[in-house]
Amino acid sequence: MQRTRRASRRKICRFCADKNVKIDYKDPKLLRYFITERGKIVPRRISGNCARHQREITTAIKRARHLALLPFLAVE
Amino acid sequence: MNINEYETTCIFQPEITEEALARITTRLEGVIEHFEGQKLAFEDLGLRRLAYNIQRFTRGRYLYWQYLAEAPCISELERIIRIESDIIRFLTIRMDEHVDVKDYQPLLQEQQEPEVSTDTESASSDVSTDSAHGDSE
């Protein structure tokens, strides 16, 4: 098996690119983009968010979970 | 004392009657008024499917308030919320600290005027969209 490191293009943070998009815990549609189908938060290296926006996403997801807008754990 | 901006979302159990809902709503808003807080916005987000069961309920009625208040108001508000058994979940978030009431004049004036029925429209559409679930395959 060949182990080649994929030269991944650096993703740009979509919240830095579009300043109009607000991160809101009441918006599960947007947040759903940053969780796996299992319900886990997608890491920054995959989502491509910058540190600041990833942090905001993380708190928003946790708040949304408390309000049952997002699952803690989605059963497959 | 400092005035802060808060947001509170309450989830009511789905079978609650409109009368009970109105009673609790006026009670909570009465607390805000009593502590000289000011309501900025109120929204009935309608009946939504819960992402997981809370007290065996699969759906919940979401109500949302945005208001200016001082800190002691929140402890009293949350005390009342905890007593109400029809509220199955709530969350209060401090959006901004040490705010100046003057900055909120436009929003406050909007609240003084009689409610326009845009809120109820969005509430009914939320029920059908059902965004809080759907990846169970």
Side-chain angles (χ1 to χ4, degrees):
Chain A
M1 215 167 78
Q2 213 178 14
R3 280 189 60 177
T4 42
R5 269 195 59 186
R6 203 170 290 134
S8 56
R9 194 165 41 85
R10 190 92 203 111
K11 265 195 165 182
I12 182 163
C13 172
R14 46 175 293 206
F15 298 102
C16 291
D18 185 358
K19 299 249 193 268
N20 296 323
V21 183
K22 284 216 185 77
I23 300 174
D24 184 8
Y25 65 97
K26 296 183 295 298
D27 183 4
K29 275 200 195 104
L30 173 76
L31 296 177
R32 214 151 249 284
Y33 193 76
F34 298 99
I35 61 172
T36 66
E37 52 289 21
R38 260 274 157 141
K40 291 180 172 184
I41 298 171
V42 173
R44 200 150 73 82
R45 64 167 187 276
I46 311 234
S47 68
N49 287 338
C50 69
R52 181 187 166 177
H53 288 119
Q54 178 72 14
R55 202 158 51 232
E56 288 176 16
I57 282 285
T58 304
T59 38
I61 288 174
K62 287 173 181 176
R63 285 169 178 176
R65 279 176 178 167
H66 182 76
L67 286 174
L69 297 171
L70 291 179
F72 282 98
L73 171 83
V75 195
E76 279 154 36
Chain B
M1 214 183 276
N2 292 318
I3 295 176
N4 304 318
E5 184 195 330
Y6 294 98
E7 283 186 357
T8 297
T9 311
C10 290
I11 310 179
F12 292 79
Q13 58 113 331
E15 287 115 39
I16 190 168
T17 57
E18 291 300 319
E19 298 87 75
L21 203 65
R23 181 184 62 78
I24 298 171
T25 306
T26 38
R27 176 104 194 263
L28 297 180
E29 287 181 1
V31 173
I32 297 176
E33 262 167 51
H34 179 257
F35 281 86
E36 281 156 14
Q38 280 160 306
K39 187 168 82 165
L40 298 175
F42 167 74
E43 214 172 328
D44 185 346
L45 302 167
L47 205 59
R48 285 183 173 215
R49 183 166 198 153
L50 303 175
Y52 50 90
N53 293 4
I54 301 175
Q55 292 169 28
R56 301 206 182 129
F57 292 115
T58 53
R59 317 178 115 235
R61 178 84 177 265
Y62 285 71
L63 297 190
Y64 164 81
W65 288 269
Q66 190 189 356
Y67 51 96
L68 301 176
E70 292 171 349
C73 177
I74 303 305
S75 40
E76 175 62 10
L77 209 58
E78 295 202 336
R79 190 184 70 84
I80 306 282
I81 290 174
R82 267 185 267 267
I83 292 169
E84 294 295 346
S85 53
D86 283 336
I87 302 178
I88 54 176
R89 192 57 68 86
F90 68 95
L91 179 70
T92 304
I93 305 260
R94 186 175 62 215
M95 302 307 283
D96 203 358
E97 299 179 85
H98 307 288
V99 298
D100 191 347
V101 182
K102 276 177 235 138
D103 301 339
Y104 288 90
Q105 278 319 314
L107 259 173
L108 286 167
Q109 265 153 24
E110 218 172 276
Q111 279 299 308
Q112 309 285 309
E113 286 160 30
E115 288 265 333
V116 195
S117 64
T118 43
D119 281 2
T120 44
E121 247 172 67
S122 61
S124 54
S125 63
D126 273 351
V127 181
S128 52
T129 45
D130 186 28
S131 53
H133 198 77
D135 56 357
S136 54
E137 277 173 55

